Structure formats: structure tokens, C-alpha cells
Amino acid sequence: MMSLSANVSACLVSRDSINITSSSAKLLSFRRADSIIGHQFPLARSYSTKRGRNVTPLKVVCVDYPRPDLDNTSNFLEAAYLSSTFRASPRPSKPLNIVIAGAGLAGLSTAKYLADAGHKPILLEARDVLGGKVAAWKDKDGDWYETGLHIFFGAYPNVQNLFGELGINDRLQWKEHSMIFAMPNKPGEFSRFDFPDVLPAPLNGIWAILRNNEMLTWPEKVKFAIGLLPAMLGGQAYVEAQDGLSVQDWMRQRGIPDRVTTEVFIAMSKALNFINPDELSMQCILIALNRFLQEKHGSKMAFLDGSPPERLCKPIVEHIESLGGQVRLNSRIQKIELNKDGTVRNFLLNDGNIIKGDAYVFAAPVDILKLLLPEDWKPIPYFKKLDKLVGVPVINVHIWFDRKLRNTYDHLLFSRSPLLSVYADMSVTCKEYYDPNRSMLELVFAPAEEWISRSDSDIIDATMSELSRLFPDEIAADQSKAKILKYHVVKTPRSVYKTVPDCEPCRPLQRSPIEGFYLAGDYTKQKYLASMEGAVLSGKFCAQAIVQDYDLLAA
């Protein structure tokens, strides 16, 4: 039985407004639905206590798991060393003013590590909100709605280091080490892959797969395991060599039954890149599987305890500003203006302001870069290859219901729906969004290409139809059961780059052939592809290139 520590966050509330801190909690957790059968887990208990005739019992809403031991893994130490090089680098005699376009995680990471190295970043964000693809907004009721449903994995070493460097590790709410899939042929039921804590990697992952007999048969597991052996033995070089194949083609070439793709990898493909396995490059899947199988806590998930702009981006900004950097919102770039030799003269903003610097970084999405790319640069092979990199559309749906839904978990859930990817009851999984009486489901609607131009009401109707299969006893498409109190639909026509086969050779290095001009973003060259980890790592690589080029740029 796992014991609770100071890292465990317990939310205990009664109608008489009594609050109990984590030190008072003893093996308490959100009560899972009775319809989820066949498994018993640590902390999966309900608890109540009577305090008098007129006092209602305390109800436990959520209990998080302690932070896993990530700090001694090779990937974490490698990321920590890279971070340390910025703090330890010689202080520049003349700090560089570096203009950075885009305050998503890539731009924030670039600015943070340049500031650590003693330089003066000027970070420009077009909108009035931080975060880029992790942006979020408050509605008139004070409720947050987000660009996407963001999960922080144990296999994100640079992101985990970033939280530690900012002193905000306690803002991650870690969940039990499981992956939970809905069962389309058994509405309302779920199937789990549970990773035992007592086993090291890859045995914990192998055990999780072998123990699940609801999704894959034994012959399918054996064929899949044999097909994966080259990836586990060949390392990163083998993984990158599979970029030319889709997930579906790779599986078929290795004799893995199509049912494995249908049962597991449709859901996984949509979660990783919002597209189906007939489009997704197998490289993307293999990178995820390698991390999950080779790192004990790689697939362990955490939710942020509130909105990303407030709980993650704001501390980064405060750190940047404390070291003399600047962050400016509502600063949209209209044009990249050039000198006669083709280098950048300045960034021209929509409001007519001209921003000059010693170096320039473009950390906005690749689709925006292509729109603003100067004509003189377009024939250069480095930039011409970007044509193949195109953002994938995705829709994030938030629905507030008039009641607490029972058939859910304090975890991320894979819907295995043709229209939906993953979802979570954020009123349970996230401290700031907690509500003891009503559920708020946040759902990723993907693939979204055919739906991005449809009305919000069409998207909600389609979502409710899918939810009626996930919650057959609680939700009906016509709202004859749970009623919608309100909803928000956030459409991103061009999100992360679409990781289709043969994209890898088109991904640019962070240092461009234009002197003093650099790129950051998850589409640039780094091993974590289109993810928050990829964005943060790209920012570190970009900052590293600028620090290495200091003498040239200062001259």
C-alpha cells in the first residue's frame, strides 16, 4: 500500500466549509464508479466520517500520488546538465539583446535560458495571453478553458527540470501509474494497463501489457512484442529510420495483426498527434514507446494544478524579468525586415513599432513563420524544406454538466471514439478546477480536419453523442439525463506539426543559415517531436546556439 507524504494533495470539503490538509488524510481518494470493475488499487477508497447530526460527512475529491523518483534517471541528469551550462557560462562583457517572437513554451524556454546565461531577452507575444499552444482563458464566470488537454509525463526530463528550476514541482498532480482505455464494445466500461511500482523498466511495462487480457489476445501480444524488438535494441537511430513508414504500414510489414492497431494505436496516434495511424509516422509511436518502456516512470502522468498561463508560464516570465529580460504581450509581428546583406534589420510590429536586437529568434508555429518568411529567404533549402511541415487542426471541448458524473477516474482517459481522442473530468483531476457537485469534461476532438469549420453547436452535438456511449447511464445525446450548463469550444486550425512520414529530413536545426537568426519550436530538430517536452528542449538548443555564437553576434 502506497503511503501518503507531504507531496500528496488531498482536497476535503464539507458544507460547513471545514478544510483538512494532506497531513490529516489517511488513504483517501476520489470514489471511482461502481461500473468500473475488476481492479483494486492503492488509494482507491471512499471515506466519510460523521461529526454530528446536523453536519454532512466530509467528501474526498482527489488524492494525488507522490512525485516519482525522476531525478536520478540518465535523461533527467542529461537535461539538468544542459540547464546548468547556462548558469555556469561566463558572464558576457556585453549582454546580447535577443528579440524572440512567440511566448509559447519554446519562446519562454529560449528566453529563460538566455537570461540564465546573462543575456537580455525581449520576448514578444502577439496575443494578450501567454502559452501559445498551452494558452487558456477565463470566462465571465471565472472558469478556465484551455487550448488543449495537457499531460506532463515522467518521460519529459527537460520539462521536469524546468519545474524544479522554478521551484514549482508541487504544482504537478501525479496520478497512479496506469493507462486507461474505454471499451467501445462494452459501453461504460474501461480496460487498464497498470505499471507495478515494484518492477524496473522495461519489466513494469511488459507486465502491464501481459496483464491486460481485455484488449489484446496472447498471440497478438507475442507478435507485437517480436515486432518491437528491433526498436528496443536499435535505439534512436533505428527509430528515426522508421520515419518513412506510417504506423499502419509498419505494423503490417512486421506481421502484426490489424487488430493491434485498431485496439491500441488508433487511440495512441490521436493522443500523440491528433491523426489516425494510417497517416502518422511510426517514428512518433516508437519514440513514445521507447521512453515508456525504457524509463520506469516514463509513462506516469501528471496534471497541472491550474491553468498553464498562470501556473507554469507566469513563473517563467517572473524568472526572466528578475534577470533583466522583458516580456511584452499584444506585440504581433507584421514583417521581418532585412538588411541589404539578407540579415535581419528588425521586427516590424502591427502597431508600427520597430524592435531591434543583436540576434533574433522566431519561436512561433511553423505555419506563421512561413507566412512571414521574407521573399529573399524562400529559395534557401533550409527554409524551402519547411513547406512539408504543416500544423494539424485540433479542437478542444469543455462541457460543464449539472451533476457529478460517476463513471470516471481521477486520470486521463483514452476514449477510443472515432471522433474523440482523450478526455478527463477536470473537476476531479485538477485542483483549481475542482467542483464537488458538477463535472467538467475536457475532451480533445480529433482528427478535426472535417470539423474545424463546423459550428460549435454541431461539435457539441457530436461530442454528446459520443459521450452517451462512454456514460450510458448518465449522459444521453438529447440531454434527457445530464444537462449541459455551458460549454466552450477552442479551435486551433494549425496546432503542432503533422508528423506524417518523411517529415524528419525537413525539420530545421535551431541555428539558421542567416547570421543572427534562429528558430525554436517543437517542429525544429530535437528528439521529442511535437510535444511540450520538444518545445522546451528546442528552446534550450536555441539558447545554446546563441551562447555559442556570442563572439560573432557581439562583434
Side-chain angles (χ1 to χ4, degrees):
M1 183 69 70
M2 184 180 297
S3 62
L4 296 180
S5 73
N7 292 329
V8 180
S9 168
C11 309
L12 306 174
V13 180
S14 71
R15 276 185 229 165
D16 53 354
S17 300
I18 294 175
N19 294 310
I20 296 181
T21 64
S22 59
S23 61
S24 306
K26 291 185 179 179
L27 298 178
L28 309 178
S29 91
F30 176 73
R31 183 178 179 181
R32 290 173 174 78
D34 296 336
S35 60
I36 302 171
I37 58 174
H39 298 277
Q40 298 295 326
F41 299 96
L43 303 181
R45 299 181 181 181
S46 59
Y47 177 86
S48 65
T49 180
K50 293 183 179 178
R51 301 184 61 254
R53 181 176 299 177
N54 298 320
V55 180
T56 57
L58 297 171
K59 181 180 179 182
V60 179
V61 175
C62 59
V63 172
D64 299 323
Y65 282 61
R67 182 177 183 270
D69 181 17
L70 304 172
D71 299 1
N72 295 314
T73 63
S74 59
N75 284 321
F76 185 93
L77 293 172
E78 179 186 325
Y81 173 74
L82 180 54
S83 293
S84 72
T85 61
F86 297 103
R87 298 188 297 271
S89 65
R91 298 299 89 179
S93 56
K94 178 195 171 189
L96 299 174
N97 292 313
I98 299 127
V99 183
I100 305 167
L105 288 182
L108 287 165
S109 171
T110 306
K112 189 264 186 197
Y113 291 106
L114 284 171
D116 283 350
H119 298 290
K120 305 299 180 188
I122 303 167
L123 184 56
L124 308 174
E125 169 54 44
R127 300 186 293 182
D128 60 356
V129 61
L130 298 165
K133 299 185 190 79
V134 301
W137 301 265
K138 256 187 182 178
D139 66 13
K140 58 182 175 57
D141 302 317
D143 294 319
W144 287 95
Y145 56 102
E146 304 180 4
T147 307
L149 179 51
H150 303 291
I151 299 298
F152 297 81
F153 285 97
Y156 281 2
N158 290 282
V159 168
Q160 297 301 335
N161 267 279
L162 179 60
F163 272 82
E165 291 159 27
L166 297 169
I168 57 172
N169 275 331
D170 60 344
R171 298 186 182 187
L172 287 177
Q173 294 181 250
W174 291 95
K175 308 304 177 184
E176 59 186 327
H177 198 171
S178 303
M179 301 183 82
I180 306 171
F181 292 76
M183 299 290 286
N185 55 334
K186 297 178 181 178
E189 294 188 22
F190 297 84
S191 181
R192 303 176 55 119
F193 292 88
D194 296 302
F195 296 73
D197 193 54
V198 295
L199 294 178
L203 296 180
N204 63 340
I206 293 170
W207 180 263
I209 294 169
L210 294 181
R211 286 279 292 173
N212 183 299
N213 295 315
E214 297 156 318
M215 291 175 65
L216 299 179
T217 65
W218 273 95
E220 289 167 344
K221 292 176 187 177
V222 170
K223 289 181 179 178
F224 178 48
I226 293 171
L228 273 183
L229 279 176
M232 295 182 68
L233 299 174
Q236 186 71 16
Y238 175 87
V239 168
E240 291 193 11
Q242 308 313 302
D243 175 55
L245 293 171
S246 70
V247 176
Q248 183 174 279
D249 291 342
W250 188 92
M251 296 284 184
R252 287 175 176 172
Q253 280 191 14
R254 279 144 191 82
I256 299 171
D258 282 351
R259 219 181 74 84
V260 175
T261 303
T262 302
E263 290 294 298
V264 178
F265 288 101
I266 289 179
M268 198 167 177
S269 298
K270 289 164 64 170
L272 288 171
N273 200 239
F274 314 127
I275 56 179
N276 282 316
D278 60 336
E279 287 189 282
L280 183 67
S281 166
M282 188 62 193
Q283 181 197 20
C284 186
I285 292 285
L286 290 176
I287 285 174
L289 288 177
N290 260 357
R291 297 279 73 81
F292 292 170
L293 289 174
Q294 292 181 11
E295 299 176 27
K296 180 177 178 178
H297 303 294
S299 56
K300 195 171 177 69
M301 304 179 208
F303 285 71
L304 194 60
D305 67 357
S307 73
E310 293 285 329
R311 303 299 288 168
L312 173 56
C313 300
K314 188 176 178 182
I316 303 175
V317 169
E318 290 170 349
H319 179 87
I320 293 166
E321 291 178 339
S322 73
L323 296 175
Q326 302 175 43
V327 180
R328 306 179 188 176
L329 300 179
N330 299 305
S331 300
R332 186 178 299 275
I333 293 178
Q334 183 183 96
K335 188 178 181 182
I336 302 172
E337 296 190 321
L338 304 183
N339 295 307
K340 289 182 179 180
D341 62 0
T343 58
V344 179
R345 183 169 75 240
N346 58 259
F347 284 170
L348 174 65
L349 304 187
N350 272 8
D351 60 9
N353 279 324
I354 291 173
I355 310 296
K356 288 179 174 286
D358 299 305
Y360 299 84
V361 177
F362 204 93
V366 65
D367 298 280
I368 296 176
L369 170 62
K370 289 189 287 186
L371 287 173
L372 293 175
L373 203 63
E375 288 295 325
D376 291 353
W377 291 0
K378 289 182 179 179
I380 300 173
Y382 174 91
F383 295 111
K384 195 169 181 59
K385 288 191 296 184
L386 298 178
D387 290 343
K388 188 172 174 63
L389 303 179
V390 178
V392 63
V394 66
I395 299 169
N396 209 45
V397 178
H398 312 69
I399 303 178
W400 283 260
F401 288 97
D402 66 347
R403 65 195 68 185
K404 200 73 174 174
L405 300 172
R406 293 180 299 109
N407 194 29
T408 188
Y409 279 85
D410 179 8
H411 214 300
L412 180 77
L413 300 170
F414 294 81
S415 75
R416 298 177 71 206
S417 147
L419 293 181
L420 304 177
S421 172
V422 292
Y423 70 97
D425 186 345
M426 299 298 281
S427 71
V428 172
T429 60
C430 176
K431 196 182 300 181
E432 186 174 356
Y433 303 166
Y434 159 68
D435 189 324
N437 301 313
R438 300 176 182 87
S439 285
M440 187 276 270
L441 295 186
E442 184 171 344
L443 313 104
V444 179
F445 196 105
E449 193 145 1
E450 296 179 9
W451 288 85
I452 200 76
S453 60
R454 300 277 289 270
S455 69
D456 289 358
S457 59
D458 283 350
I459 291 166
I460 291 297
D461 289 344
T463 301
M464 286 294 287
S465 180
E466 295 301 310
L467 288 177
S468 68
R469 287 187 270 275
L470 294 168
F471 299 85
D473 298 328
E474 300 177 88
I475 295 178
D478 63 359
Q479 295 190 55
S480 58
K481 297 176 182 177
K483 306 289 191 297
I484 296 177
L485 295 178
K486 66 177 179 180
Y487 64 79
H488 289 292
V489 175
V490 180
K491 298 177 180 177
T492 307
R494 291 286 181 264
S495 181
V496 295
Y497 79 96
K498 196 173 185 179
T499 314
V500 295
D502 297 318
C503 272
E504 191 61 30
C506 302
R507 298 174 66 204
L509 295 171
Q510 287 74 27
R511 182 189 285 111
S512 86
I514 306 298
E515 185 180 308
F517 184 76
Y518 303 81
L519 298 180
D522 57 18
Y523 69 93
T524 62
K525 187 69 174 174
Q526 40 75 28
K527 63 183 179 180
Y528 288 93
L529 301 185
S531 63
M532 291 186 290
E533 172 71 7
V536 171
L537 181 55
S538 78
K540 291 173 90 167
F541 283 165
C542 181
Q544 183 183 51
I546 293 171
V547 171
Q548 290 170 348
D549 294 347
Y550 171 73
D551 289 340
L552 175 68
L553 297 171

